[in-house]
C-alpha cells in the first residue's frame, strides 16, 4: 500500500538533546512537508520541500532542521534550540499540482523528559 | 496572506442531529479550500475539496460543504450525525507559493462530540 510512514510514534527528548523524526513516503510525490500541531492552534508549517536537495522554511522553522537527500525521505531534527518542543508532529506529501490534497502520516508525539 | 477562521473550537450534537462546522477564509484570489478530519492520535484525512467546479461539494462519510463567495465561507455540514463522526475537523485554504505548489494554511480546528 502506498502511504506515508512516520517513526517513532512516541519520542522523548532530554534537555540539550537533538532528536530526529523520520518520514518516508512511497507515493512518488515531489513535495513533502512538516507540520507541528498544538492543542487549539491547528497545524503550523515548519519546513517544506518541493524537490530533492531543496527545502524552504515555513512559519515556525526556528529550532528545527531538515534534509531532503532522497525523494522518499524528509527527516526532521528538533534541535536543542527549540525550547518548547512538546507537540504532535505531522509529515505530509503531495504532488506538485496546486489544488491536490495532502497525504498525512500518522504523526509523532514528542515530549520533553 | 491567506488565513482561515473556524468558529467554535468545540461543537456537541446528538446522534442523528445536523452537524454544522463553520469556516471563513480570507483570500484575495479565488481559493482552493479543503476540509480534513483527524481521529485521535492519527494524521489528517481529506473529507472534501473545493476547486471552483461547483459551489456545493460532496465528500466522504456523508459530509458536504458549500462555497459562498459573498460570505467568504465554506461551512461543513452533515444531515445526521453518527457516533463515528466524533473527531477534530480542520478547514484549510491553499496558498500559492513559488513554483506553483500548494502550501496549506489550516484553521485552528473544531472538535466535534456526538452524544447518544
Amino acid at each position: 500500500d502506498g502511504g506515508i510512514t512516520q517513526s517513532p510514534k512516541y519520542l522523548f527528548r532530554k534537555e540539550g538533546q537533538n532528536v530526529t523524526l523520520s518520514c518516508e513516503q512511497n507515493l512518488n510525490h515531489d513535495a513533502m512537508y512538516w507540520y507541528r500541531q498544538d492543542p487549539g492552534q491547528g497545524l503550523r508549517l515548519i519546513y517544506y520541500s518541493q524537490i530533492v536537495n531543496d527545502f524552504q522554511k515555513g512559519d515556525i522553522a526556528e529550532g528545527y532542521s531538515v534534509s531532503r537527500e532522497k525523494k522518499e525521505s524528509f527527516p526532521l531534527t528538533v534541535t536543542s534550540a527549540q525550547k518548547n518542543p512538546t507537540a504532535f508532529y505531522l509529515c505530509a506529501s503531495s504532488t506538485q499540482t496546486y489544488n491536490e490534497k495532502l497525504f498525512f502520516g500518522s504523526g509523532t508525539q514528542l515530549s520533553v523528559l | 496572506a491567506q488565513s482561515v477562521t473556524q468558529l467554535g473550537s468545540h461543537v456537541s450534537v446528538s446522534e442523528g442531529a445536523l452537524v454544522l462546522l463553520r469556516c471563513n477564509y480570507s483570500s484575495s484570489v479565488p481559493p482552493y479550500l479543503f476540509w480534513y478530519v483527524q481521529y485521535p492520535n492519527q494524521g489528517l484525512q481529506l473529507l472534501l475539496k473545493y476547486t471552483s467546479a461547483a459551489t456545493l461539494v460532496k465528500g466522504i462519510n456523508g459530509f458536504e460543504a458549500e462555497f459562498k463567495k459573498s460570505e467568504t465561507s465554506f461551512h461543513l455540514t452533515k444531515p445526521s450525525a453518527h457516533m463515528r463522526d466524533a473527531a477534530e475537523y480542520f478547514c484549510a485554504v491553499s496558498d500559492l507559493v513559488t513554483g506553483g505548489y500548494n502550501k496549506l494554511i489550516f484553521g485552528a480546528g473544531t472538535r466535534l462530540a456526538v452524544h447518544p
Side-chain angles (χ1 to χ4, degrees):
Chain A
D1 284 337
I4 298 182
T5 302
Q6 288 188 242
S7 62
K9 191 170 181 63
Y10 300 96
L11 186 59
F12 298 90
R13 194 192 88 168
K14 297 179 181 178
E15 283 292 329
Q17 186 181 41
N18 292 354
V19 292
T20 297
L21 284 61
S22 171
C23 178
E24 303 278 332
Q25 56 101 355
N26 60 3
L27 299 167
N28 200 33
H29 285 166
D30 287 310
M32 296 188 74
Y33 316 74
W34 275 105
Y35 284 90
R36 170 177 170 143
Q37 185 177 17
D38 296 277
Q41 295 192 47
L43 279 69
R44 293 181 289 169
L45 184 63
I46 305 172
Y47 267 99
Y48 60 96
S49 169
Q50 299 181 58
I51 197 169
V52 174
N53 294 322
D54 182 65
F55 47 83
Q56 306 295 329
K57 292 182 179 180
D59 301 315
I60 55 165
E62 186 174 350
Y64 300 97
S65 66
V66 293
S67 63
R68 187 85 186 276
E69 298 177 0
K70 299 186 300 182
K71 187 175 185 178
E72 303 79 22
S73 179
F74 191 42
L76 173 74
T77 296
V78 183
T79 74
S80 57
Q82 173 50 246
K83 298 306 180 186
N84 183 24
T86 297
F88 192 56
Y89 291 85
L90 287 161
C91 180
S93 71
S94 72
T95 68
Q96 285 286 17
T97 306
Y98 177 45
N99 65 348
E100 282 304 305
K101 70 179 184 179
L102 265 60
F103 290 78
F104 283 85
S106 57
T108 294
Q109 176 64 51
L110 175 62
S111 303
V112 177
L113 286 176
Chain B
Q2 312 269 27
S3 67
V4 173
T5 302
Q6 291 185 242
L7 294 175
S9 59
H10 290 81
V11 170
S12 182
V13 300
S14 299
E15 193 172 18
L18 172 71
V19 175
L20 171 60
L21 304 182
R22 300 177 187 274
C23 173
N24 289 88
Y25 67 92
S26 68
S27 173
S28 57
V29 297
Y32 292 121
L33 293 158
F34 303 78
W35 275 100
Y36 283 82
V37 61
Q38 183 181 33
Y39 298 100
N41 299 314
Q42 294 186 26
L44 278 67
Q45 303 172 32
L46 182 70
L47 273 179
L48 51 82
K49 68 177 182 181
Y50 167 75
T51 58
S52 76
T55 56
L56 184 62
V57 182
K58 294 188 182 299
I60 62 171
N61 301 338
F63 284 93
E64 61 183 35
E66 185 173 9
F67 173 72
K68 292 187 177 180
K69 184 177 179 180
S70 61
E71 299 177 8
T72 60
S73 69
F74 190 56
H75 300 333
L76 182 71
T77 60
K78 182 174 181 178
S80 177
H82 193 278
M83 298 294 288
R84 63 173 173 261
D85 295 326
E88 189 152 23
Y89 292 80
F90 293 92
C91 183
V93 62
S94 192
D95 195 8
L96 183 62
V97 295
T98 303
Y101 92 105
N102 57 323
K103 167 187 167 182
L104 287 192
I105 308 298
F106 286 88
T110 297
R111 186 169 297 279
L112 175 67
V114 182
H115 51 86

